[in-house]
Structure formats: structure tokens, C-alpha cells
């Protein structure tokens, strides 16, 4: 994690953990989180689950998805972010689609979508938004309003 900006995630509906590349900014935040929570081993490496339950006994002490969603929602409200957790994912993927100019195979590497078809839906929305601006310009010189 620390040297390679990678974490292992076992996501919804998945049996195996998979490697996810992280941007350096959240890596710094995670390092601080691990230090504060004292989740580091003797060699200063992360140990155990990242998000742990303090109140409800759960599998291996991990917080539930629902519990994590409540925490993120509270942070969003505190920061004035008008998004749900899933809505933020849509924003993230849409931004990647725009940045990578619709190259959905590149987007798939960072979004954890199994289906390129799903990412193509985001791409279609980005293209429609872009095409709509052109559509408006195509008829910009026509005035349909009749003075009264």
C-alpha cells in the first residue's frame, strides 16, 4: 500500500480480493488514519481491516457496508457535498470517461466495473451532453419567437 499506492479490496459479490490503485492524496490520508488508529504492525505496515466496527460485533471486526455508508454520508453533509456514496461513484466514473476521452478500457482499470457495457452507458451520457451543445449551436441562428 504505502510504496505502490495500492490496496486490496474484496467488493460486493466478489470472492477474491483485487488490487486497486489509489491516487497519492487518499494514500496520504490513509497513512494518517492508520497511524491515528494504531493499525500498523512493528514494521509500520498496515494490518487488518481498514474500517473496523467498534460497537457491533461483525465478521473479523469489519464495519458493515451500511455502517460505512452512514459514516460517509455524515462526512458529506458536514462538508456540504450533495451526493450519495453511489452518486459520488457516478461522478468519479463520468470524470474518468471525460478525461480518457471515452476509452472505457482505461476507465475500467480505475472504476472496478466488471462490464465494459456498464461503462459505455457513462460514455454515452458524456457524448450526449457534448452532442447536445452542438445541437443547440446548429439552430442558434433561428429565432422562433414572434414579437407581441
Amino acid at each position: 500500500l504505502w510504496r505502490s499506492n495500492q490496496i486490496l479490496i474484496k467488493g460486493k459479490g466478489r470472492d477474491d480480493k483485487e488490487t486497486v490503485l489509489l491516487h497519492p492524496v487518499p494514500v496520504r490520508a490513509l497513512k494518517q488514519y492508520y497511524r491515528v488508529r494504531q493499525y500498523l504492525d512493528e514494521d509500520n505496515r498496515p494490518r487488518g481491516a481498514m474500517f473496523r466496527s467498534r460497537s457491533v460485533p461483525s465478521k473479523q471486526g469489519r464495519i458493515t457496508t451500511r455502517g460505512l455508508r452512514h459514516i460517509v454520508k455524515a462526512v458529506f453533509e458536514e462538508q456540504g457535498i450533495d451526493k450519495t456514496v453511489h452518486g459520488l461513484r457516478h461522478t468519479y466514473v463520468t470524470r474518468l470517461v471525460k478525461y480518457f476521452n471515452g476509452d472505457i478500457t482505461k476507465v475500467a482499470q480505475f472504476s472496478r466495473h466488471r462490464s465494459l457495457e456498464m461503462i459505455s452507458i457513462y460514455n454515452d451520457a458524456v457524448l450526449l451532453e457534448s452532442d447536445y451543445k452542438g445541437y443547440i449551436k446548429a439552430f442558434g441562428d433561428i429565432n422562433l419567437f414572434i414579437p407581441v
Side-chain angles (χ1 to χ4, degrees):
L1 170 66
W2 306 138
R3 290 190 242 320
S4 60
N5 293 341
Q6 296 177 359
I7 60 172
L8 294 174
I9 292 183
K10 183 177 178 182
K12 180 175 82 173
R14 311 232 175 145
D15 295 328
D16 296 328
K17 291 181 181 180
E18 62 184 287
T19 302
V20 175
L21 292 170
L22 294 177
H23 190 279
V25 172
V27 169
R28 284 194 300 272
L30 289 171
K31 284 180 183 180
Q32 182 179 2
Y33 173 81
Y34 268 88
R35 274 194 293 280
V36 168
R37 297 281 185 193
Q38 299 177 348
Y39 292 166
L40 301 173
D41 66 13
E42 314 78 44
D43 297 320
N44 215 25
R45 292 182 310 218
R47 62 177 161 76
M50 182 180 300
F51 300 107
R52 302 173 191 186
S53 176
R54 291 186 172 170
S55 58
V56 179
S58 62
K59 185 179 178 184
Q60 300 169 342
R62 287 170 163 72
I63 193 168
T64 63
T65 305
R66 184 174 182 213
L68 186 58
R69 189 179 310 117
H70 285 303
I71 293 168
V72 172
K73 182 179 178 183
V75 170
F76 282 2
E77 287 174 1
E78 183 180 297
Q79 298 297 316
I81 299 170
D82 187 25
K83 291 275 184 203
T84 62
V85 175
H86 197 76
L88 185 63
R89 178 176 167 83
H90 285 281
T91 301
Y92 172 82
V93 173
T94 300
R95 189 170 183 142
L96 287 175
V97 166
K98 288 178 180 179
Y99 184 81
F100 289 122
N101 296 315
D103 186 339
I104 60 176
T105 57
K106 285 184 180 178
V107 174
Q109 295 174 14
F110 299 99
S111 70
R112 296 186 64 240
H113 278 100
R114 282 189 165 172
S115 164
L116 292 180
E117 186 177 325
M118 185 67 221
I119 298 172
S120 70
I121 292 170
Y122 290 97
N123 193 40
D124 291 347
V126 168
L127 289 173
L128 180 61
E129 178 185 319
S130 176
D131 290 347
Y132 184 72
K133 291 173 186 173
Y135 166 72
I136 297 299
K137 285 182 181 179
F139 296 97
D141 61 337
I142 297 174
N143 185 357
L144 299 176
F145 294 99
I146 302 170
V148 180

